[in-house]
Amino acid sequence: MDIPDPGTWPSTVAEAEAVQDRLRPLVVREGELPAPLRTVAGLDVSYGPDDRLAAAVVVLDADTLAPVDRATRVGRAAFGYVPGLFAFRELPALLGALADLRTTPDVLLCDGYGLAHPRRFGLACHLGVLTGLPTIGIAKTPFVGRYEEPGRRRGDWAPLTDGGEVVGRVLRTRDGVRPVYVSVGHRLGLDAACALALRLTPAYRLPETTRRADRLSRDVLAGV
DNA sequence: GCGACAG
DNA sequence: ATCTTGTCGC
């Protein structure tokens, strides 16, 4: 798919935060799922020694969840790990992988947060603004915000709030398993984001998109 | 000031 | 993220 040239990447914390502040106003915090929804893409990155990394994108048929496209990119981490600036670490490689895709996915599912971020501009928002595509963030552990424990059944959820505003949702994707943390990335509202998260978790806690991308990035890093 | 802190 | 054995359960 076509990916616009992001230009140069920041090298300091101050520069990176300035980039987030500059792009944040471009985030569209609402929207319905595209109809018909044809394809969904999952993105993930695996790390190896010496800052080596492998980014992977897997595109699935939204109905059958069968893989229809994939792309990978190996490289080095472009930024140190700083909570809140996580996106700068993986974005270059993820964009590179996306550029190699034959198709343009209808929605991008990111590993991490969107609006549930100290400056309301997590990886999912960043990726959404740069690609122009609808995105959502699904994280495995809490980062910002407070919440009550949701019910234990699949579909149960509780609002994730921070600074007096709802920034996401703690969602139980399977009965009796730890919940995931869903937040809006770009062009999709929270209801749509959670509906998609449930649709992609027919068997496991994490979305099929994320699981496929995770395994692919791992395999690539291992040289498979 | 101190601890916590997506992956 | 990654480093790692065994173990409980379907």
Side-chain angles (χ1 to χ4, degrees):
Chain A
M1 61 173 285
D2 294 319
I3 296 292
D5 185 351
T8 61
W9 293 98
S11 53
T12 68
V13 167
E15 290 171 0
E17 290 179 343
V19 170
Q20 294 183 327
D21 290 337
R22 179 163 51 78
L23 297 181
R24 182 178 47 244
L26 303 180
V27 173
V28 174
R29 302 181 172 209
E30 53 186 73
E32 304 297 318
L33 285 172
L37 179 65
R38 292 205 165 76
T39 59
V40 290
L43 303 90
D44 195 24
V45 176
S46 289
Y47 293 85
D50 199 28
D51 272 349
R52 285 180 40 75
L53 59 74
V57 186
V58 175
V59 183
L60 305 183
D61 179 291
D63 293 319
T64 66
L65 302 189
V68 298
D69 198 3
R70 57 164 55 183
T72 62
R73 177 73 53 114
V74 295
R76 308 263 173 190
F79 207 89
Y81 174 62
V82 181
L85 299 179
F86 170 60
F88 295 96
R89 203 168 159 72
E90 311 195 331
L91 228 29
L94 288 173
L95 291 172
L98 283 171
D100 287 345
L101 243 34
R102 291 182 289 97
T103 55
T104 298
D106 291 329
V107 179
L108 264 31
L109 283 93
C110 309
D111 221 36
Y113 285 99
L115 292 178
H117 175 277
R119 282 173 300 281
R120 304 290 180 266
F121 196 73
L123 172 66
C125 298
H126 206 146
L127 207 42
V129 167
L130 293 186
T131 61
L133 296 175
T135 63
I136 72 177
I138 298 185
K140 298 179 287 296
T141 61
F143 180 31
V144 296
R146 301 166 46 77
Y147 62 93
E148 301 293 315
E149 189 69 17
R152 72 177 64 179
R153 306 276 290 174
R154 164 175 161 86
D156 291 341
W157 58 272
L160 179 63
T161 60
D162 185 46
E165 67 175 317
V166 175
V167 295
R169 207 170 273 178
V170 182
L171 177 68
R172 194 85 64 184
T173 54
R174 304 296 305 169
D175 290 357
V177 302
R178 284 182 299 146
V180 297
Y181 303 79
V182 180
S183 57
V184 168
H186 187 51
R187 294 181 55 193
L188 285 179
L190 195 47
D191 284 329
C194 288
L196 183 56
L198 287 174
R199 183 168 164 174
L200 295 175
T201 49
Y204 299 97
R205 175 191 176 225
L206 297 179
E208 283 307 307
T209 41
T210 301
R211 299 182 71 251
R212 299 268 190 163
D214 178 74
R215 198 164 65 176
L216 178 57
S217 66
R218 240 179 256 271
D219 288 347
V220 169
L221 195 63
V224 179

